Amino acid sequence: MDIFLQQVLNGLVLGSVYALVALGYTMVYGILGLINFAHGEVVMIGAMVALTVLNGLAGAAIGAPPQVVIAAALAAAIAVCMGLSFSIERVAYRPLRRAPRLAPLITAIGVSILLQNIAMLIWGRQYHTFPRLLPPTPHNIAGATITDLQIGIMVVCAVIMGGLLVLVQRTRLGRAMRATAENPTVAGLMGVNINRIISATFVIGAAMGAVAGVLVAANYSIAHYSMGFTLGLKAFTAAVLGGIGNLGGAMLGGLLLGLIESIGAGYIGDLTGGFLGSHYQDVFAFLVLITVLVFRPTGLMGERVAERA
Amino acid sequence: MGFWRQRVTAWKRDRRVLWLGYVLVALALALLPFAIDTTIGRTWVRVLDFALLYVMLALGLNIVVGFAGLLDLGYIAFYAVGAYTWALLASPQLGLHLPFWMILPLGAGLAALFGVLLGAPTLRLRGDYLAIVTLGFGEIIRIFLNNLDHPVNITNGPIGINRIDPISVVGFELTRTHEIFGITFSGAHLHYYVFLLAALASIFICIRLEDSRIGRAWIAIREDEIAAQSMGINTRNVKLLAFAMGATFGGVAGGLFSSFQGFVSPESFILLESIMVLCMVVLGGMGHVAGVVLGALLLATLPEVLRHTASPVQQQLFGEVILDPESLRMLLFGLALILVMLLRPAGLWPSPTRKREFADAERQATGRTGAAATG
Amino acid sequence: MDIERHGVTRRVLAAVCSVAVAAVLGACGKKEEQPATTDGTTSALERVVKIGHAGPLTGPIAHLGKDNENGVRLAIEEANAAGLVIGGEKIRFELISEDDEANPQKGTVVAQKLVDAKVAGVIGHLNSGTTIPASKIYHDAGIPQISPSATNVDYTHQGFKTAFRVMANDAQQGKVLGEYAVKKLGAKKIAVIDDRSAYGKGLADQFEAAAKTAGAQIITREFTDTTKTDFTAILTSIKGKRPDLIFYGGMDSQAGPMMKQIKNLGVRAIYLAGDGVQTTQFLTLAGPEGESAYASSPGVPLDKMPGGKEFAEKYQKRFNQPIQLYAPYAYDAMNAMIEAMKAADSVDPAKYLPALASIQYQGVTGLVQFDEKGDIKGGSISLYQVKNNKWEYLETVG
């Protein structure tokens, strides 16, 4: 039983991160109908910037308390990612808003390649060790172990997601975002500055991406210029699983995907008597996705998209 | 101006001029590898070989994405199916050595079957949902190829299959260097002709398809599925046909790839390859055969051109190599994708109708971008 | 309609123009290479010999590709500084390094490019998947190729006289590790993980076979892939089966995070891995959690070899970073090739190839000597354990 609980915990930690990144995809998709392929790279840049700041401050040895150092790193990562995402939208997506729908997809791929290679030039090709943010003391919960950092990841993710929901549902900006997602032309006529709202969406998504990047790098103590691609892909899958364009869906999809991967990889070998093994972990995830979509073609919570279709 | 145009139209009407044109083009294509070999090196013959394979792939994907409007992010899976069919049936791996005229249709057929297998459960899906399912499908195929070495060894897993038989006709093996009428043909040259024939056949089929009943049905579905359905088009069958047809092209190209390389491993069929082929289609001009061919040729050769020029150009400009050629190559490639799309959002060479539609949309400037995505 | 046609013509024209520009650029590139061969700063008697290197210089394992390139570069720079005279001519080596992106198709294009550039020999490629298809092209052109890191047995078993490797193949290393795990470390129940790369799978398969023969029980075989950093699911599953030893066939960049997760999950088992993990990178990535892990490396430890320690220092000084993984092998491969050229007193591939096949060269990784297939002969394998965040040499086996 403790093994099962452990797998659930593993899945929740992994899923929280997927969910946080998936929100970035889903927000942009909800408003623009665009798969922002470069989002994974923004996440990577977040991790890399934080790494540089952490190492820089540790190297400078100014004797600042660790909390301050971490806060500074996080702030820098968020600021850089926000600026980056803002410029990406302005340069690569905005001019194409009325273009055929696949055109921005290709620029997104171009941006992704560009960012990856710029990161390679800046931070080099090697894997970097991400400094320890919290001591790895394992806690015991009913036979399963979890570290402070992992608890931290889940808490941070929950807080950010909750904050985002409040933002979208309760604030003026949130209302403008929802209106733009519903119908940008009408929203524009109603006095919503669509360009600003779209920029805001990108910037908020990027901030969450930056946080996710730092958390992922800290959890696995590793950062590399190509780390964003796979993570982005998984998060995107999660967003679709939940129903892309829907915030709740992204969270649900992320957590679900984390659990499926964890439990799938943990038990598939035993269940099939060793015929299939943990190498089919991703197959399992994609099969669940396909099955869900066959029965609910708009994802688990994606009614709004269905209306539009 | 008017005078010249009249002369040109008169020329065009003349059948003799037309035939002369065909002969000249055929001659140029036949001599191309030799011209390349002697001027800029044999590497480029090989680059051209792969470019022709990409032409086939892009044309196949164009049927699915360009004609039928179904966004497919896992197209490379069919290439993989074709390649592995050939590899398994003509190599020491399973001890089978079937002749190419049996394997190639088999690979194409199998790819088509996989196309239907992918298409069937996804008929109800639209736009980006379809994209992620096809992406997943592509990954599933790759993961299976990478793992079917255990418990029973079929694909040899990540190690790949080596010593695959080349195309050979009565002992004439295409991978060897041959002397014919005193002219030396290397493997790269010989494959160029085979690939060229296959690519030309693909182009011909695509052009014919576009103007056929099925082609128009695809385009109708792309423009408005519900309207197409109410016009009496069996959308299910027509969509499945698009998947199957597109996959067939991939399967054939995969088989040819396998025989040319003599080695296949799952590394050749990663997601990035699917994305590359999609870029070729979109960059060239979705739905327009000539544009897609242009896109494929450009994107397949561009990284190689950059590879050859990145260092020397830097040396000339700055007197030293500041950025590694390989980083610069990918930087410029990413930049090129962005710039081309910003300057020509409908692709480098869009079809005339598509271009008009785009201009209309620009003029009206109404509606959300998403409307086009889901409509 | 007319306007439309006009537009098309214009676009065709534009396309033709851009192709022409590209061709001119390409031609410039060609021209640029030629003056470099008869550089003004060098004396008239000097002969430039081009050496090819190929490996992934972009993408997720670019750091390893660059590492190999650096190894070759160092050997070449030293040889140039020493001022070699071969065949009565002063020789200056020039390195042409190509990025094969770890993609088999690009691998053959790059190979052809090196052949076109008339290289005298090639050090590469890194992955077995690119090395094998490329080896045919080098073979057809008669150019000797030494791979510093491809471990797939098939590479040297194609009957190509031009294909060599200085790295023990999977079969050799896996066997030693399997026996060591059972006989020396006393493991009875073993869990095996591999990363589904050609390297990881090959090593894990051989390890599994050898461990079974030695009398251990393989209780589970788990898999991950080279892009993953989360191994908690498979590790938890392994934990439930209580193995004495976990064997990992894969690279350091994953073994590092894996080690941390093993400790966090409280899995108590000996950790053993191959040469892909016996790196300084692993030590920094795993941190204190890497303590007491075991790993092997072909050959004798670098600091025990004559010139080994100096090599590590030279490398650090020249490239301002520590050795990543296979640089010493790339360095030895290049030096062995140079040695063969000296022995044959020729840089002509056809002439020095026989000398290379029968070479006996004492490199920094051990004695470079090839068997009739081109595999390195009698590769001994050393074992190491992490103690105080350092790899400590244990013993040399085989």
Side-chain angles (χ1 to χ4, degrees):
Chain A
M1 198 55 208
D2 54 341
I3 295 293
F4 181 74
L5 184 65
Q6 184 72 56
Q7 294 291 25
V8 171
L9 278 178
N10 295 341
L12 286 177
V13 173
L14 192 61
S16 307
V17 177
Y18 286 162
L20 206 51
V21 182
L23 285 174
Y25 281 97
T26 229
M27 282 174 68
V28 168
Y29 189 90
I31 276 197
L32 282 181
L34 161 74
I35 305 171
N36 181 12
F37 251 105
H39 189 61
E41 260 51 67
V42 172
V43 172
M44 175 271 295
I45 299 272
M48 286 301 194
V49 169
L51 174 83
T52 310
V53 174
L54 283 173
N55 283 344
L57 288 182
I62 42 170
Q67 289 89 340
V68 177
V69 175
I70 294 174
L74 205 57
I78 291 175
V80 169
C81 287
M82 282 173 140
L84 186 67
S85 204
F86 179 78
S87 352
I88 293 174
E89 193 270 328
R90 280 303 274 273
V91 175
Y93 302 150
R94 185 171 297 183
L96 293 175
R97 226 172 266 164
R98 287 187 225 294
R101 54 177 298 239
L102 283 185
L105 185 74
I106 302 296
T107 55
I109 292 167
V111 170
S112 166
I113 294 175
L114 201 63
L115 287 181
Q116 236 189 68
N117 283 281
I118 290 173
M120 186 174 93
L121 283 178
I122 299 177
W123 287 287
R125 296 174 169 83
Q126 67 274 34
Y127 284 78
H128 295 277
T129 309
F130 201 86
R132 213 182 278 283
L133 299 184
L134 290 171
T137 17
H139 296 282
N140 204 318
I141 309 169
T145 55
I146 189 162
T147 61
D148 284 334
L149 186 63
Q150 289 172 321
I151 297 174
I153 287 175
M154 289 196 277
V155 171
V156 169
C157 290
V159 168
I160 289 180
M161 291 183 228
L164 188 66
L165 273 186
V166 171
L167 176 86
V168 170
Q169 298 298 339
R170 295 266 183 274
T171 64
R172 221 181 133 75
L173 175 66
R175 193 158 26 150
M177 282 163 94
R178 279 181 288 139
T180 311
E182 208 63 52
N183 190 331
T185 318
V186 176
L189 294 174
M190 295 298 173
V192 175
N193 184 340
I194 305 170
N195 281 340
R196 262 178 59 195
I197 296 303
I198 290 174
S199 286
T201 311
F202 269 86
V203 165
I204 295 170
M208 290 187 304
V211 175
V214 175
L215 290 178
V216 171
N219 189 31
Y220 303 119
S221 324
I222 199 167
H224 187 238
Y225 76 89
S226 73
M227 67 186 272
F229 188 74
T230 326
L231 185 63
L233 204 65
K234 284 287 166 59
F236 176 48
T237 310
V240 174
L241 180 64
I244 193 160
N246 182 304
L247 294 180
M251 297 178 210
L252 183 70
L255 289 177
L256 210 57
L257 191 68
L259 285 173
I260 291 167
E261 281 196 4
S262 181
I263 293 171
Y267 289 98
I268 188 171
D270 296 343
L271 286 177
T272 56
F275 185 72
L276 296 173
S278 45
H279 36 336
Y280 293 105
Q281 184 177 5
D282 290 348
V283 170
F284 212 61
F286 282 122
L287 279 182
V288 170
L289 175 83
I290 293 174
T291 319
V292 167
L293 289 185
V294 165
F295 290 104
R296 277 192 70 89
T298 51
L300 289 172
M301 293 173 73
E303 288 125 293
R304 219 172 46 77
V305 183
E307 279 164 28
R308 255 204 279 141
Chain B
M1 205 52 199
F3 168 74
W4 280 110
R5 193 171 298 152
Q6 269 174 3
R7 289 300 294 270
V8 169
T9 353
W11 274 353
K12 275 188 177 164
R13 291 218 181 98
D14 192 335
R15 290 202 79 92
R16 281 170 307 177
V17 174
L18 199 69
W19 279 108
L20 187 70
Y22 281 143
V23 169
L24 280 178
V25 168
L27 206 64
L29 285 176
L31 290 177
L32 189 63
F34 291 97
I36 289 175
D37 197 359
T38 48
T39 51
I40 50 177
R42 186 158 297 169
T43 318
W44 290 97
V45 181
R46 196 165 260 277
V47 170
L48 198 62
D49 288 348
F50 287 122
L52 288 171
L53 283 182
Y54 278 118
V55 167
M56 293 183 67
L57 285 176
L59 285 173
L61 183 62
N62 183 47
I63 292 179
V64 185
V65 180
F67 291 167
L70 304 161
L71 181 52
D72 186 346
L73 279 179
Y75 183 69
I76 216 69
F78 306 123
Y79 190 51
V81 168
Y84 266 87
T85 307
W86 187 300
L88 288 173
L89 296 181
S91 78
Q93 174 67 11
L94 300 180
L96 294 170
H97 294 278
L98 299 183
F100 79 93
W101 49 266
M102 272 173 83
I103 322 172
L104 208 55
L106 209 65
L110 210 60
L113 183 72
F114 272 91
V116 173
L117 274 181
L118 163 69
T122 56
L123 285 172
R124 287 168 66 202
L125 300 179
R126 284 157 195 266
D128 302 293
Y129 289 94
L130 185 64
I132 191 75
V133 169
T134 50
L135 185 154
F137 175 79
E139 283 294 280
I140 288 173
I141 297 278
R142 187 188 61 80
I143 293 169
F144 268 100
L145 291 176
N146 204 25
N147 292 312
L148 281 178
D149 58 334
H150 174 95
V152 188
N153 188 357
I154 302 169
T155 62
N156 215 15
I159 288 170
I161 299 173
N162 196 10
R163 279 173 277 184
I164 299 168
D165 300 347
I167 301 176
S168 93
V169 189
V170 283
F172 185 89
E173 287 190 6
L174 227 51
T175 44
R176 290 178 194 280
T177 304
H178 293 273
E179 290 258 351
I180 305 162
F181 307 127
I183 309 165
T184 326
F185 289 87
S186 77
H189 285 75
L190 293 170
H191 278 93
Y192 165 80
Y193 294 115
V194 175
F195 292 178
L196 183 67
L197 283 181
L200 287 177
S202 310
I203 294 173
F204 179 74
I205 294 171
C206 281
I207 291 176
R208 300 299 298 164
L209 268 179
E210 196 178 5
D211 273 334
S212 72
R213 228 181 129 80
I214 302 165
R216 266 173 300 207
W218 283 334
I219 291 164
I221 288 179
R222 176 186 77 196
E223 297 304 329
D224 191 334
E225 193 173 337
I226 295 163
Q229 203 157 17
S230 52
M231 294 304 281
I233 293 172
N234 182 337
T235 53
R236 187 194 63 198
N237 289 1
V238 169
K239 271 187 183 180
L240 284 182
L241 197 63
F243 274 117
M245 282 292 248
T248 311
F249 281 67
V252 172
L256 294 176
F257 171 74
S258 201
S259 71
F260 183 37
Q261 286 278 76
F263 172 85
V264 288
S265 67
E267 291 154 314
S268 295
F269 311 105
I270 51 174
L271 174 64
L272 208 64
E273 288 284 317
S274 288
I275 292 178
M276 271 313 272
V277 180
L278 183 69
C279 285
M280 291 168 180
V281 173
V282 178
L283 206 80
M286 230 168 51
H288 188 217
V289 175
V292 170
V293 172
L294 176 73
L297 290 175
L298 269 184
L299 279 198
T301 50
L302 182 67
E304 297 307 317
V305 172
L306 290 173
R307 184 199 294 280
H308 278 76
T309 50
S311 270
V313 166
Q314 278 189 75
Q315 206 118 41
Q316 222 147 31
L317 290 180
F318 313 109
E320 58 177 326
V321 179
I322 296 170
L323 291 177
D324 291 344
E326 62 270 7
S327 352
L328 192 67
R329 174 168 53 94
M330 290 316 278
L331 275 180
L332 289 180
F333 184 69
L335 210 59
L337 285 185
I338 300 172
L339 285 181
V340 169
M341 278 295 113
L342 287 182
L343 298 176
R344 301 191 69 99
L348 286 170
W349 193 356
S351 66
T353 32
R354 193 108 183 129
K355 202 182 154 212
R356 257 200 313 276
E357 282 162 19
F358 180 50
D360 284 347
E362 188 88 295
R363 223 170 292 128
Q364 288 171 5
T366 50
R368 46 174 294 121
T369 351
T374 44
Chain C
M1 201 55 205
D2 270 333
I3 298 161
E4 200 57 59
R5 185 165 297 155
H6 185 66
V8 170
T9 344
R10 213 179 49 196
R11 272 195 300 281
V12 172
L13 231 134
V16 168
C17 284
S18 47
V19 169
V21 167
V24 169
L25 275 174
C28 284
K30 277 296 268 191
K31 250 178 252 152
E32 196 62 17
E33 280 164 25
Q34 279 151 2
T37 56
T38 50
D39 204 297
T41 57
T42 57
S43 73
L45 283 170
E46 198 173 83
R47 176 159 174 204
V48 170
V49 177
K50 291 181 187 163
I51 298 293
H53 165 266
L57 303 176
T58 53
I61 53 166
H63 61 296
L64 298 179
K66 201 72 189 175
D67 190 46
N68 280 4
E69 183 197 304
N70 289 344
V72 178
R73 193 176 292 280
L74 203 58
I76 281 181
E77 285 173 357
E78 282 173 20
N80 285 342
L84 281 180
V85 178
I86 294 175
E89 285 174 306
K90 207 163 170 296
I91 296 293
R92 192 167 63 82
F93 291 107
E94 185 187 296
L95 177 64
I96 304 180
S97 183
E98 292 294 341
D99 176 19
D100 67 20
E101 300 168 38
N103 174 334
Q105 178 216 318
K106 294 277 178 184
T108 59
V109 170
V110 160
Q112 188 66 53
K113 187 181 174 214
L114 291 175
V115 170
D116 283 357
K118 300 204 167 41
V119 294
V122 173
I123 309 297
H125 302 202
L126 190 137
N127 314 65
S128 298
T130 46
T131 307
I132 292 174
S135 66
K136 187 179 180 332
I137 291 172
Y138 299 129
H139 169 255
D140 290 351
I143 293 173
Q145 171 196 17
I146 310 179
S147 172
S149 49
T151 53
N152 184 339
V153 178
D154 229 16
Y155 162 53
T156 47
H157 287 56
Q158 306 176 96
F160 294 164
K161 288 268 169 268
T162 47
F164 301 91
R165 74 173 124 219
V166 290
M167 160 78 44
N169 67 30
D170 294 332
Q172 293 164 313
Q173 201 180 169
K175 187 164 174 292
V176 168
L177 281 167
E179 284 167 3
Y180 188 82
V182 180
K183 290 179 183 157
K184 288 282 171 65
L185 300 175
K188 293 195 179 62
K189 288 157 67 183
I190 298 176
V192 179
I193 308 175
D194 83 62
D195 69 353
R196 293 281 92 193
S197 68
Y199 163 77
K201 171 206 147 66
L203 191 63
D205 280 357
Q206 298 295 338
F207 171 86
E208 189 174 322
K212 268 187 192 155
T213 322
Q217 186 197 356
I218 306 295
I219 50 169
T220 180
R221 177 90 186 250
E222 297 289 346
F223 309 88
T224 180
D225 78 56
T226 47
T227 57
K228 288 206 167 77
T229 46
D230 188 292
F231 313 101
T232 50
I234 55 174
L235 290 175
T236 303
S237 167
I238 286 175
K239 185 188 178 190
K241 290 170 181 142
R242 299 179 195 287
D244 313 319
L245 185 139
I246 298 174
F247 178 80
Y248 178 56
M251 306 303 289
D252 51 0
S253 51
Q254 291 190 291
M258 188 186 286
M259 220 41 228
K260 292 203 164 178
Q261 290 161 33
I262 286 177
K263 290 286 153 72
N264 284 348
L265 288 168
V267 187
R268 276 182 212 88
I270 302 167
Y271 191 76
L272 176 67
D275 56 324
V277 173
Q278 202 269 319
T279 63
T280 40
Q281 176 102 20
F282 171 78
L283 298 176
T284 56
L285 288 177
E289 283 92 343
E291 204 63 18
S292 82
Y294 292 86
S296 68
S297 182
V300 182
L302 212 53
D303 53 2
K304 288 219 173 5
M305 292 304 299
K309 205 166 188 167
E310 288 78 15
F311 172 73
E313 282 161 8
K314 271 184 300 192
Y315 186 100
Q316 172 76 40
K317 200 166 153 235
R318 170 67 177 82
F319 303 108
N320 204 17
Q321 63 172 21
I323 295 167
Q324 300 283 315
L325 188 55
Y326 297 123
Y329 296 93
Y331 179 77
D332 274 1
M334 188 62 234
N335 277 328
M337 192 176 271
I338 294 173
E339 208 59 33
M341 289 172 176
K342 280 199 239 168
D345 199 30
S346 170
V347 291
D348 181 2
K351 296 211 177 97
Y352 82 82
L353 185 60
L356 184 61
S358 60
I359 195 106
Q360 281 198 313
Y361 168 71
Q362 187 61 52
V364 294
T365 60
L367 186 66
V368 177
Q369 191 179 6
F370 301 110
D371 64 12
E372 68 283 359
K373 292 236 189 307
D375 277 323
I376 188 132
K377 223 185 238 178
S380 55
I381 286 162
S382 300
L383 280 133
Y384 302 79
Q385 187 177 22
V386 181
K387 284 179 186 157
N388 299 320
N389 206 26
K390 276 201 175 71
W391 283 110
E392 204 175 282
Y393 169 67
L394 296 175
E395 59 180 310
T396 303
V397 199

